[in-house]
Amino acid sequence: MDDDGIIRLFWDRDERAIEVTAEKYGRYCGSIAGNILKSPEDREECLSDTYMRAWGSMPKDWPRALSAYLGRITRNLAFNRYKEARAQKRGGGEVSLVLEELSECVSGTVEGECDRRELARAVNSFVQGLPEGKRRVFVRRYWYADPVKDIARDNNMRPDAVSKTLERIREKLREYLTERGFEL
Amino acid sequence: MTGEYLFEIMGELDDDTVIEAREPVKRQRSWRLLVPIAACLALITVLVMRAAPPMDGGALDGESYAVDCEAPPMVCVGRGLYSIATEQPELAGREDEFEYLGEITSRVDSAEQPRESFQANDDLIGSRVYRLDEDIVVEYEGKYLLYELLYNYKDEE
């Protein structure tokens, strides 16, 4: 079924919407949850929560891109679960490494948390300005939290080249945001 | 600001950017694919010419045909064999991403494959060589030429 058909099911409050969504996007959302959450039970719950969240939000929204819409819900829910798990010292998956890398771009203090919308716009603009190959690598790592070896495999690169590329982009992001007055 | 906060901010990237990242990479038209095909064709030609009697009654040896078959411009750096990329990106202005490796010091015939480090099968002696991610860049007459990794000699070991 195409995406508009699935969205129509959500809008019509047809429960097949969840079944069809799980069939088409379960694996995609599952990989996002899996990169962030270590426990298989947490991942499964996160997926169920994703479908429920979509069920609750879809009569209002008609997503332009259903995959990104669902992926974003999964990412947010998984990351909230990750934070709860970490507070209970149960740790997380690949995302722990991703957060360590991102911490190199910032001071690590909470005082500098500037206007979220402005910062999101600046980060978006920075990412848009990257050459396509680098943008893919960067987004795979810091949006999907994909492991470096998977990114390397899918982009015909060596893992050490991926790591080096990410390091350079992080440094450029830091410069870009600092030049624009963001307190990192 | 914390890494967690930045990760949350990354979550607000545009849909198109997010979707693009997981789409299969379109493979560039590249010498990587053409070299093995060309090598096979050259070998078949040589074998056929050796098996068949020459039409003009003269001496024909396979080697003269093999030598006529030009290889693409290649460079060997370290244990890697690099072949010129068919699609050359604009590299001027990206020098801060380059890592200087050295200069081309020797060359082999244009039909041959360079096997020693900093060797080319083209007139590149003295050209500066840089690493750019997994590929290399050769500076030739003020222009940057991208060479893609074709083969690792260490794979033979």
Side-chain angles (χ1 to χ4, degrees):
Chain A
M1 186 180 291
D2 67 12
D3 286 355
D4 280 345
I6 299 175
I7 297 168
R8 171 56 60 199
L9 290 178
F10 276 106
W11 276 62
D12 291 345
R13 316 313 289 156
D14 186 330
E15 288 181 9
R16 280 180 303 156
I18 291 181
E19 189 187 315
V20 178
T21 302
E23 198 175 296
K24 187 166 180 184
Y25 290 112
R27 203 168 153 189
Y28 172 75
C29 293
S31 75
I32 297 169
N35 286 341
I36 298 175
L37 300 166
K38 206 157 54 178
S39 142
E41 295 79 32
D42 280 350
R43 282 181 229 167
E44 280 308 309
E45 283 178 28
C46 180
L47 274 188
S48 302
D49 290 350
T50 298
Y51 305 140
M52 285 302 116
R53 183 68 67 89
W55 179 261
S57 61
M58 214 80 84
K60 291 196 296 287
D61 302 339
W62 190 285
R64 195 174 61 83
L66 187 59
S67 61
Y69 183 82
L70 294 168
R72 200 180 304 278
I73 293 175
T74 306
R75 187 184 190 270
N76 291 342
L77 290 173
F79 194 53
N80 287 340
R81 269 178 185 267
Y82 165 83
K83 287 191 282 188
E84 282 169 26
R86 203 197 43 183
Q88 293 165 29
K89 303 204 184 305
R90 286 195 281 122
E94 185 71 23
V95 79
S96 302
L97 298 173
V98 168
L99 293 178
E100 267 179 43
E101 291 167 19
L102 285 176
S103 298
E104 292 169 15
C105 291
V106 293
S107 65
T109 59
V110 290
E111 290 80 26
E113 295 191 0
C114 38
D115 184 85
R116 190 184 176 100
R117 196 171 294 178
E118 291 268 311
L119 181 59
R121 201 173 297 140
V123 169
N124 237 315
S125 151
F126 171 80
V127 173
Q128 295 297 328
L130 291 171
E132 186 191 331
K134 288 191 166 61
R135 189 166 61 235
R136 282 172 177 274
V137 167
F138 189 76
V139 174
R140 287 284 302 264
R141 186 63 174 161
Y142 300 119
W143 199 94
Y144 288 99
D146 278 330
V148 166
K149 65 175 174 42
D150 291 359
I151 301 172
R153 181 198 59 213
D154 296 343
N155 288 276
N156 306 315
M157 294 171 77
R158 292 193 310 267
D160 58 342
V162 170
S163 298
K164 192 78 188 161
T165 300
L166 289 169
E167 190 184 322
R168 286 183 181 133
I169 303 175
R170 287 198 305 272
E171 185 53 40
K172 283 186 184 301
L173 174 63
R174 185 183 170 80
E175 285 169 19
Y176 183 90
L177 295 176
T178 307
E179 279 168 12
R180 279 153 188 78
F182 291 99
E183 278 182 42
L184 301 177
Chain B
M1 192 182 295
T2 60
E4 270 185 21
Y5 186 67
L6 195 50
F7 184 76
E8 285 177 1
I9 292 293
M10 296 286 177
E12 296 179 32
L13 291 178
D14 288 346
D15 286 355
D16 291 342
T17 310
V18 170
I19 293 168
E20 169 200 63
R22 279 254 185 122
E23 279 173 352
V25 175
K26 288 176 219 130
R27 286 185 176 271
Q28 286 187 337
R29 278 180 294 114
S30 161
W31 282 108
R32 283 182 209 200
L33 298 173
L34 298 179
V35 166
I37 295 169
C40 288
L41 286 175
L43 182 65
I44 290 166
T45 306
V46 167
L47 291 174
V48 167
M49 296 311 288
R50 278 193 168 164
M55 300 293 285
D56 60 0
L60 254 185
D61 63 24
E63 269 187 51
S64 60
Y65 283 82
V67 168
D68 287 345
C69 187
E70 282 227 340
M74 290 185 277
V75 165
C76 177
V77 176
R79 307 292 288 165
L81 179 67
Y82 298 83
S83 179
I84 195 153
T86 47
E87 290 175 18
Q88 288 290 328
E90 181 55 61
L91 295 169
R94 292 177 61 187
E95 290 82 356
D96 58 331
E97 296 175 49
F98 296 177
E99 179 191 345
Y100 178 66
L101 298 176
E103 289 183 2
I104 299 293
T105 52
S106 62
R107 74 158 288 179
V108 292
D109 189 87
S110 58
E112 289 176 34
Q113 183 171 297
R115 297 186 72 88
E116 290 172 19
S117 191
F118 294 103
Q119 189 173 63
N121 65 350
D122 213 343
D123 290 325
L124 292 175
I125 292 177
S127 299
R128 293 164 70 85
V129 181
Y130 307 87
R131 182 167 300 290
L132 177 65
D133 300 331
E134 78 272 32
D135 300 320
I136 61 164
V137 173
V138 176
E139 188 177 357
Y140 178 69
E141 293 184 345
K143 286 185 183 166
Y144 295 121
L145 302 171
L146 183 71
Y147 283 69
E148 297 175 319
L149 181 64
L150 180 68
Y151 183 73
N152 252 319
Y153 285 122
K154 69 181 172 196
D155 294 341
E156 290 178 349
E157 292 167 358

